[in-house]
Each structure stands twice: as C-alpha cells, then as structure tokens.
Amino acid sequence: MNETIKTIKERRAVRAYKDKPIEKEKINEIIECGYWAPSARNLQPWKFIAVTNKELIKEMGKRIQDKVINNPRYSFVKERAKTKEDAIFYSAPLVIFILGEKDSRWSTMDCSFAAENMMLAAKSMGIGSCPIGMARYIKDEKDIIGKLGFDENYELILTLVFGYADEKPAAKERNNDVVKWIE
C-alpha cells in the first residue's frame, strides 16, 4: 500500500497527548499543507490561527466546558471532565482555528479540505490530531476572540488540536455499503 493511502487509513482522532510541544518547523509544515488544499476558484478563503500558549488553551477549554457541561446533549463532556484536566482540547499543545471568509459561499467546504490536509500531514509526521466541534462555542467569548485576533470578515469554520499521541486508538468499523455503481 502506498504511503498516502496508508496515512489516510491509519489516521485516527487522538484525545490524549504527551506533554511535549510540537516543533515550530512541523507546525509550519502542517499549516502550509492546509493552505495547499484545493479551494473553489482558488480563492483560498481561509485564515489559520495557531495557539501554543498552554494557559490560553486551558482557559478556552474551561470556558467552553462551562457552557456545555450541564447540557444533556453533551453528557460525555461531564464524564470526560471527571478524568481529564482539559475535557475540550485534551491538553493538546497546539490548537488551530480555521476561519473562512464570511462572504464566500464555499468557505465551509474549502476550509474542510484544508483541515483534512493538515490532519493527514500531521499523521505523516507522527503527530496526532482531532477536530473539535465544540470549539464553536468560543465565538461568543469576545475577550478570547480579541486575544486570538479573529478578523471580522471571517468566521470560525473548524478547530483542530494536534500533539504527540499518548494513545493509539483502534480503527472503528467502516460502512462500506455506501457506494452505488451506475455502469
């Protein structure tokens, strides 16, 4: 099996990370792979905000956790919070916010391509990753948004965490009955 296919098939959502920073060169490579993603009409409607400040990551995680912990829809956060210091970002050493232009009708799709490129690039370098859907709750935290420097013409599309994995999640069964052939 070639290396690209192997990387795709072996990438997993990692939710436990070693207390080890990611080298700046590797972070830059991950981000560069993001902006090499395809985009509609090559408009590249994204911006990336990379956060390595441990205290800020912890604060953001706590703010989000406080917003969702009593919501029955997110009962798993309450369970996670019993055993993890950071139940949202998993104490990952790197959080990347992917912002898309508000006026681009293709931002969600294009930013999703960028996110996948970044997660696959990370995997190929021995770095784990996980998309964090609940990070969308940070958008209401004006002081945090100010610290992060979100551009007012952009909106949060996706948030990813990265770090050296402290777990090796097993592959879950894939539904392969999803293709309809028309010949």
Side-chain angles (χ1 to χ4, degrees):
M1 170 178 348
N2 78 40
E3 286 303 308
T4 301
I5 293 171
K6 184 175 187 280
T7 300
I8 290 168
K9 290 183 175 183
E10 290 181 356
R11 195 212 65 79
R12 301 280 173 275
V14 173
R15 293 178 177 88
Y17 298 96
K18 295 178 180 170
D19 185 19
K20 176 183 176 186
I22 301 171
E23 299 83 350
K24 192 81 159 203
E25 307 79 45
K26 290 183 179 182
I27 295 172
N28 287 330
E29 189 73 34
I30 289 167
I31 293 169
E32 184 176 342
C33 287
Y35 62 70
W36 273 100
S39 64
R41 296 181 32 229
N42 196 33
L43 293 174
Q44 303 173 43
W46 44 59
K47 287 192 184 285
F48 307 101
I49 297 175
V51 181
T52 57
N53 180 304
K54 283 183 178 188
E55 290 307 311
L56 181 55
I57 293 170
K58 193 177 196 176
E59 179 184 353
M60 291 186 302
K62 180 78 172 105
R63 296 260 194 107
I64 294 167
Q65 178 180 307
D66 289 348
K67 284 180 180 242
V68 302
I69 199 157
N70 291 317
N71 184 330
R73 186 178 193 188
Y74 302 121
S75 58
F76 57 91
V77 173
K78 192 175 271 193
E79 287 304 308
R80 254 192 242 151
K82 291 176 185 174
T83 59
K84 293 186 181 292
E85 181 182 355
D86 179 355
I88 305 298
F89 296 120
Y90 307 108
S91 301
L94 171 63
V95 176
I96 297 181
F97 294 95
I98 303 175
L99 310 179
E101 287 181 6
K102 289 179 179 177
D103 293 339
S104 171
R105 64 187 295 187
W106 308 110
S107 278
T108 299
M109 182 174 64
D110 294 342
C111 290
S112 298
F113 295 151
E116 184 68 9
N117 271 18
M118 294 166 85
M119 290 187 290
L120 291 172
K123 173 64 179 166
S124 77
M125 292 186 276
I127 297 168
S129 64
C130 187
I132 307 296
M134 270 191 266
R136 70 179 184 263
Y137 289 105
I138 205 71
K139 69 181 180 199
D140 300 325
E141 301 293 325
K142 301 300 179 203
D143 61 321
I144 298 281
I145 295 303
K147 286 179 188 177
L148 295 172
F150 277 31
D151 184 312
E152 66 183 31
N153 298 313
Y154 287 74
E155 61 188 341
L156 178 60
I157 304 293
L158 288 161
T159 304
L160 306 173
V161 296
F162 297 89
Y164 291 100
D166 202 17
E167 68 176 359
K168 189 169 171 127
K172 295 200 169 129
E173 197 62 36
R174 296 291 187 222
N175 181 1
N176 62 5
D177 188 29
V178 295
V179 178
K180 177 180 178 179
W181 284 89
I182 301 173
E183 296 183 39

